[in-house]
């Protein structure tokens, strides 16, 4: 690799982060900017695409100010997935809000396609079940309901893509409209076997193929940084693009081949690589982990819509100052005393896939205290992940003995101990919260011909310690509460 560090961007739902990573794996500098998520109607979630871009400019400025004179060899991108951006190719301006992966506004469209008997075809081609989580239905909604978007499509001026495409477009000043297979595989418009946009899927969702980005290998050259768009020198190559969960998995697999990882953030992604394309029979998604040149790695994934966000919601609901206060409250009791919190606050994702389910708190009595609700909130995060791991074991036909975790919520040791206890599995946390950015940095380093960026962070192991009878009781109450949540739609 040429002398210089990798500037790794991790654009997420609640934060935009960036790292400057040296060739020996040392993090030279960090920067972060908060992001806001808007809810203009019940069930809707959106972000300002311009703010997403300006947050990138800001973290790059902050990094370079923190490391004056640093030499940058390449830019790597990891990004929140399934959020869709639409913009005008002539002006480069967004023509609609960025519709978030959490948004449910396309629920009616998904229900209509199911009623037309199209779900089996869509799932067979894309690996993804019909759910508002995925961008194809969001894009169909934009084209059906927003005249400006439809008119630009007719004029050939419309460009759409997931957040990575929006960032590549802006970093290259509109010279490149591209994505990688990991992000493309989450749109529900990609044929997983062909690894190309599927004309039949595009027709079903009413999406013109011309508006979609070119699909390039995850480690390919995605153009060069243009002059004046950021404080970076022009000409620096963009040499890796990966969805955030895929980037984290790439990093884990380098450290532990065959790893099963759980990225626990606003939502959660539980993912493992597979030897070939595996069709799930238990509510998971088939997807592409990444590609390097012509080599493609497939994966199985379970997506949870509200995961770490459940703790933030419970913190606000209980009127607490912050999530540390929620943790302290949860630790003040030994059990949740039969209280169960189902955080179906934006429907239920994998493996249940019930987009109209509603959240609930059940099992309360006159003895219930806020501390029991606080503990139930952390149990809920762990139990949702455990549901996915159980489904993954069924699809893989083998037990999973260890789960590697990353993401902002994994800073909470109480949560990770509950995860180990309720899954009866070992949980390993690499003591670095930037797994997605580091995974993308490793991909870029390999693309430049460098030795793999080393993972020098120590790991922490959480061993199961909960009595079996206690675990079985919590699981029984959880399953009953999930069934009730599905009936609330």
């Amino acid at each position: 690799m040429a002398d210089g560090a990798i500037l790794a961007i991790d654009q997420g739902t609640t934060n935009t982060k960036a790292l400057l990573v040296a060739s020996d794996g040392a993090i030279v500098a960090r920067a972060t900017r908060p992001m806001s998520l808007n809810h203009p109607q019940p069930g809707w979630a959106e972000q300002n695409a311009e703010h997403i871009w300006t947050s990138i400019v800001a973290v790059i400025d902050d990094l370079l100010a923190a490391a004056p004179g640093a030499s940058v060899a390449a830019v790597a991108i990891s990004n929140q997935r399934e959020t869709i951006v639409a913009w005008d190719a002539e002006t480069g301006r967004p023509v609609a809000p960025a519709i978030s992966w959490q948004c449910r506004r396309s629920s009616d469209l998904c229900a209509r396609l199911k009623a037309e008997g199209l779900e089996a075809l869509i799932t067979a081609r894309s690996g993804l079940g019909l759910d508002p989580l995925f961008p194809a239905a969001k894009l169909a909604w934009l084209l059906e309901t927003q005249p400006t978007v439809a008119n630009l499509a007719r004029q050939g001026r419309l460009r759409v893509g997931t957040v990575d495409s929006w960032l590549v477009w802006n970093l290259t000043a509109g010279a490149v409209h591209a994505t990688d297979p990991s992000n493309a595989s989450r749109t529900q418009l990609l044929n997983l076997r062909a690894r190309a946009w599927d004309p039949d899927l595009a027709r079903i969702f009413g999406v013109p193929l011309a508006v979609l980005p070119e699909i390039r290998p995850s480690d390919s050259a995605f153009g060069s940084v243009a002059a004046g768009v950021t404080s970076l020198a022009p000409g620096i190559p963009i040499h890796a693009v990966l969805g955030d969960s895929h980037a984290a998995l790439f990093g884990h697999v380098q450290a532990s081949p065959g790893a099963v990882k759980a990225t626990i953030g606003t939502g959660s992604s539980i993912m493992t690589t597979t030897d070939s394309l595996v069709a799930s029979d238990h509510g998971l998604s088939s997807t592409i982990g990444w590609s390097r040149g012509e080599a493609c790695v497939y994966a199985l994934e379970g997506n949870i819509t509200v995961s770490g966000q459940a703790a933030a919601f419970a913190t606000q609901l209980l009127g607490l100052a912050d999530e540390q206060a929620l943790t302290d409250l949860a630790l003040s009791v030994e059990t949740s005393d039969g209280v169960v919190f189902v955080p179906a606050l934006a429907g239920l994702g994998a493996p249940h896939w019930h987009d109209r389910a509603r959240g609930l708190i059940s099992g309360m009595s006159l003895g219930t205290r806020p501390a029991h609700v606080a503990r139930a909130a952390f149990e809920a995060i762990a139990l949702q992940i455990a549901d996915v791991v159980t489904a993954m074991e069924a699809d893989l036909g083998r037990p999973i003995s260890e789960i590697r975790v990353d993401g902002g919520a994994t800073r909470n040791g109480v949560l990770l101990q509950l995860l180990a206890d309720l899954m009866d599995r070992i949980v390993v946390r690499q003591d670095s919260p930037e797994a997605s950015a580091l995974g993308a940095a490793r991909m870029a380093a390999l693309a430049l011909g460098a030795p793999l960026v080393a993972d020098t962070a120590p790991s922490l192991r959480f061993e199961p310690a909960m009595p079996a009878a206690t675990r079985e009781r919590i699981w029984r109450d959880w399953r009953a509460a999930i069934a009730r949540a599905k009936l609330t739609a």
Side-chain angles (χ1 to χ4, degrees):
M1 180 174 67
D3 290 339
I6 305 294
L7 194 155
I9 293 165
D10 180 20
Q11 202 297 302
T13 309
T14 55
N15 293 282
T16 293
K17 302 176 184 177
L19 304 177
L20 208 55
V21 185
S23 59
D24 63 356
I27 297 175
V28 177
R30 291 179 171 88
T32 183
R33 291 294 176 107
M35 298 299 301
S36 60
L37 188 66
N38 305 313
H39 301 278
Q41 294 187 34
W44 290 28
E46 60 189 40
Q47 293 184 289
N48 185 309
E50 290 277 20
H51 290 173
I52 291 174
W53 168 242
T54 57
S55 74
I56 298 296
V57 174
V59 293
I60 290 173
D61 286 347
D62 293 345
L63 272 189
L64 297 184
S71 173
V72 177
V75 173
I77 295 172
S78 71
N79 58 281
Q80 59 166 308
R81 305 170 307 156
E82 291 115 13
T83 294
I84 196 76
V85 182
W87 66 95
D88 184 338
E90 289 191 7
T91 67
R93 300 294 302 276
V95 292
I99 303 180
S100 169
W101 55 274
Q102 283 191 321
C103 189
R104 318 307 287 176
R105 75 184 68 191
S106 55
S107 291
D108 289 344
L109 174 62
C110 291
R112 187 179 79 209
L113 294 174
K114 286 181 183 180
E116 293 172 3
L118 292 168
E119 184 170 26
L121 169 64
I122 292 169
T123 302
R125 298 279 183 93
S126 71
L128 309 173
L130 263 176
D131 189 85
L133 170 70
F134 302 115
K138 303 183 201 315
L139 181 51
W141 183 91
L142 282 171
L143 289 162
E144 287 183 7
T145 66
Q146 306 300 301
T148 299
V149 175
N151 287 337
L152 286 173
R154 284 191 290 269
Q155 296 169 30
R157 290 171 52 181
L158 183 67
R159 299 292 181 270
V160 299
T162 42
V163 168
D164 58 305
S165 297
W166 174 236
L167 301 186
V168 168
W169 176 275
N170 280 284
L171 284 167
T172 63
V176 178
H177 184 37
T179 188
D180 92 299
S182 72
N183 281 291
S185 70
R186 308 303 299 170
T187 63
Q188 212 157 47
L189 295 170
L190 185 82
N191 185 308
L192 284 187
R193 288 172 177 80
R195 285 182 268 158
W197 300 123
D198 189 294
D200 292 332
L201 294 177
R203 176 184 50 77
I204 288 169
F205 289 100
V207 177
L209 289 172
V211 307
L212 298 173
E214 176 190 355
I215 302 169
R216 300 183 182 181
S218 308
D219 66 344
S220 64
F222 287 82
S224 300
V225 175
V229 296
T230 70
S231 50
L232 285 168
I236 294 173
I238 303 164
H239 240 312
V241 168
L242 286 160
D244 50 9
S245 292
H246 307 252
L249 180 63
F250 180 74
H252 284 304
V253 166
Q254 306 312 305
S256 177
V260 175
K261 70 91 199 173
T263 299
I264 314 174
T266 304
S268 279
S269 160
I270 300 87
M271 189 185 296
T272 189
T273 58
T274 55
D275 293 334
S276 59
L277 180 59
V278 173
S280 175
D281 294 320
H282 299 89
L284 304 183
S285 299
S286 303
T287 193
I288 293 175
W290 56 82
S291 66
R292 296 187 60 216
E294 294 300 314
C296 177
V297 174
Y298 288 98
L300 271 178
E301 181 176 17
N303 298 99
I304 299 165
T305 311
V306 175
S307 189
Q309 191 178 20
F313 180 85
T315 298
Q316 183 180 35
L317 192 68
L318 294 172
L320 301 175
D322 52 34
E323 289 182 35
Q324 183 58 51
L326 184 75
T327 301
D328 294 341
L329 190 60
L331 284 172
S332 71
V333 291
E334 293 185 0
T335 74
S336 55
D337 195 30
V339 175
V340 182
F341 173 31
V342 179
L345 307 173
L348 283 170
H352 307 287
W353 294 115
H354 200 296
D355 72 284
R356 297 184 188 274
R358 299 295 295 271
L360 59 82
I361 300 174
S362 63
M364 292 185 288
S365 70
L366 288 174
T368 297
R369 297 292 180 264
H372 297 122
V373 177
R375 189 173 182 88
F378 288 114
E379 288 178 352
I381 299 169
L383 286 161
Q384 288 189 107
I385 294 169
D387 272 344
V388 172
V389 171
T390 299
M392 190 170 283
E393 289 178 325
D395 278 334
L396 295 174
R398 59 175 173 81
I400 294 167
S401 60
E402 178 182 292
I403 311 295
R404 299 177 68 88
V405 298
D406 61 80
T410 62
R411 296 184 183 94
N412 191 309
V414 173
L415 169 61
L416 297 190
Q417 186 59 55
L418 279 169
L419 183 59
D421 287 341
L422 292 170
M423 289 195 307
D424 197 22
R425 302 287 187 274
I426 295 168
V427 172
V428 178
R429 181 186 74 190
Q430 207 72 19
D431 200 18
S432 173
E434 296 97 351
S436 295
L438 287 172
R442 289 183 188 131
M443 179 75 78
L446 287 172
L448 292 174
L452 188 68
V453 176
D455 192 346
T456 57
S459 61
L460 297 176
R461 290 168 62 87
F462 295 80
E463 305 268 354
M466 181 178 284
T470 303
R471 180 169 55 250
E472 290 165 7
R473 183 174 64 252
I474 292 171
W475 268 103
R476 183 184 64 243
D477 292 344
W478 170 254
R479 292 187 183 105
I482 285 285
R484 284 194 291 272
K486 292 178 180 179
L487 293 175
T488 59

